[in-house]
Amino acid sequence: MRIDVITIFPDYLEPLRHALLGKAIEEGRLAVGVHNLRDWASDNHKSVDDSPFGGGPGMVMKPSVWGPALDDVASGTAADPSRDLATALPHLRKPRHDDLAAAGEGSDTAAEGAAPESPAERDEKDDRPLLIVPTPAGRPFTQADAVEWSREDHLVFACGRYEGIDQRVVDDAQRTYRVREVSIGDYVLIGGEVATLVMAEAVVRLIPGVLGNRRSHEEDSFSDGLLEGPCYTKPRTWRGLDVPEVLTSGDHARIDKWRRAESLRRTAERRPELLDRVELDAVDRDVLAAWEEERRSGGDEH
Ligand code: 6GU
């Protein structure tokens, strides 16, 4: 995978090269390019923003700077400070149109009377890079997005500052990119840089081989729609607090059942709205009913 980031604060993205992400770069699973938006500014002051049409506070980032920056990064002609780093290996590459045709599949899609393509089918053979625009006005970024994006060849993050980027930049970019305007939560950051770090980390850890010692991501919070329950390590007793007995019992069926119950209880307590989208069996419902009952009678709080 290749990740490009366009920002007026390239130093802010330095953490991309550290720890897990740095290791993925060394191993050739990831290439990162961080680009200074001001390199595309044309005036002497290298200005990237201007006052908003219609009035109001703050400044808006200029289309005349963002447009060429996005064009160059899409086509790979932008100066790339990371070119000395290992090249990215394509991984889990989605089948492209040509591959599908060669395999004898999808070759009739242009035929007369063929069913119209779904947006997902169209995306399958769309080799435009994915442009991610972090903004508090975007759709919420979720684990499902992280999973999908981890299969992409090329992600580009466009970090806005000030009041935002002229909307025509985003509209025009659809010609060269598939575009996603996303938010990482219901609060406002100064700019998209930290949100980019958050999303890049969520995506890169899902690239096969990046999290070496993990069997799978199936046990992550959210992957089954529930929060993960508590975890413990040695010693069995610490400051007078014991590890739950079941975890030291060696009875794996019992342990699995306990973990499922803890996930359900924690989710009910902290994120009850998540339960609406989870398939619950009879045992799960019993666990939740017991938790409900405990709470009504003033049971312990976690
Ligand atoms: Cl993605 N960007 C900014 N600037 N603020 C945010 C955000 C993103 N998500 C939540 N707040």
Side-chain angles (χ1 to χ4, degrees):
M1 176 186 289
R2 176 173 183 87
I3 296 180
D4 285 293
V5 184
I6 310 172
T7 169
I8 54 168
F9 295 113
D11 291 350
Y12 233 114
L13 281 302
E14 212 30 52
L16 279 179
R17 306 191 187 285
H18 294 147
L20 205 76
L21 281 79
K23 192 159 152 270
I25 293 170
E26 274 171 32
E27 292 170 351
R29 300 178 205 282
L30 176 70
V32 173
V34 179
H35 310 273
N36 192 336
L37 181 68
R38 286 193 202 280
D39 292 346
W40 284 272
S42 47
D43 61 324
N44 285 339
H45 297 103
K46 298 264 168 216
S47 79
V48 294
D49 61 322
D50 209 332
S51 53
F53 273 124
M59 299 290 266
V60 177
M61 296 187 105
K62 288 148 65 115
S64 56
V65 182
W66 269 110
L70 288 172
D71 292 346
D72 289 349
V73 169
S75 64
T77 53
D80 179 3
S82 72
R83 63 184 170 272
D84 52 324
L85 294 170
T87 51
L89 297 172
H91 83 284
L92 280 185
R93 205 164 72 83
K94 291 189 301 183
R96 299 286 181 236
H97 191 31
D98 296 349
D99 304 342
L100 290 172
E105 297 168 37
S107 50
D108 62 347
T109 47
E112 226 180 56
E117 297 163 16
S118 71
E121 280 169 333
R122 219 172 303 128
D123 267 9
E124 277 293 301
K125 49 182 108 126
D126 189 338
D127 56 8
R128 289 175 296 172
L130 193 67
L131 176 65
I132 298 154
V133 184
T135 164
R139 292 175 194 274
F141 171 73
T142 65
Q143 185 66 19
D145 295 316
V147 170
E148 274 181 31
W149 299 356
S150 75
R151 301 187 183 116
E152 294 281 339
D153 290 338
H154 190 191
L155 302 180
V156 178
F157 289 89
C159 299
R161 289 249 153 183
Y162 314 109
E163 296 309 301
I165 304 173
D166 186 303
Q167 192 62 38
R168 292 168 296 177
V169 172
V170 174
D171 298 343
D172 174 70
Q174 323 260 356
R175 293 194 279 159
T176 31
Y177 294 91
R178 288 165 294 134
V179 183
R180 306 283 184 269
E181 290 180 89
V182 288
S183 163
I184 61 159
D186 291 341
Y187 39 78
V188 179
L189 305 172
I190 303 168
E193 285 77 9
V194 172
T196 293
L197 290 175
V198 167
M199 292 187 276
E201 185 167 313
V203 167
V204 171
R205 70 182 281 279
L206 297 175
I207 296 174
V210 169
L211 260 193
N213 64 350
R214 211 48 209 248
R215 270 163 307 165
S216 75
H217 302 285
E218 283 155 26
E219 289 164 28
D220 289 345
S221 282
F222 302 114
S223 52
D224 63 357
L226 297 175
L227 304 183
E228 264 194 288
C231 54
Y232 302 88
T233 186
K234 292 179 273 298
R236 279 190 190 202
T237 302
W238 180 76
R239 296 191 176 176
L241 302 169
D242 293 331
V243 170
E245 177 274 330
V246 55
L247 294 179
T248 58
S249 69
D251 180 342
H252 288 284
R254 230 181 111 214
I255 292 171
D256 287 348
K257 213 172 147 210
W258 181 85
R259 287 197 168 136
R260 175 81 182 174
E262 288 299 308
S263 277
L264 286 162
R265 295 162 62 100
R266 181 174 273 186
T267 307
E269 176 88 39
R270 301 179 180 178
R271 299 291 305 279
E273 78 282 5
L274 294 180
L275 289 175
D276 299 339
R277 279 179 281 147
V278 175
E279 230 179 283
L280 302 173
D281 65 18
V283 179
D284 293 339
R285 277 191 289 273
D286 285 351
V287 166
L288 289 170
W291 173 81
E292 220 18 273
E293 189 48 46
E294 219 175 88
R295 206 176 52 144
R296 245 199 302 275
S297 58
D300 62 351
E301 306 262 317
H302 285 280

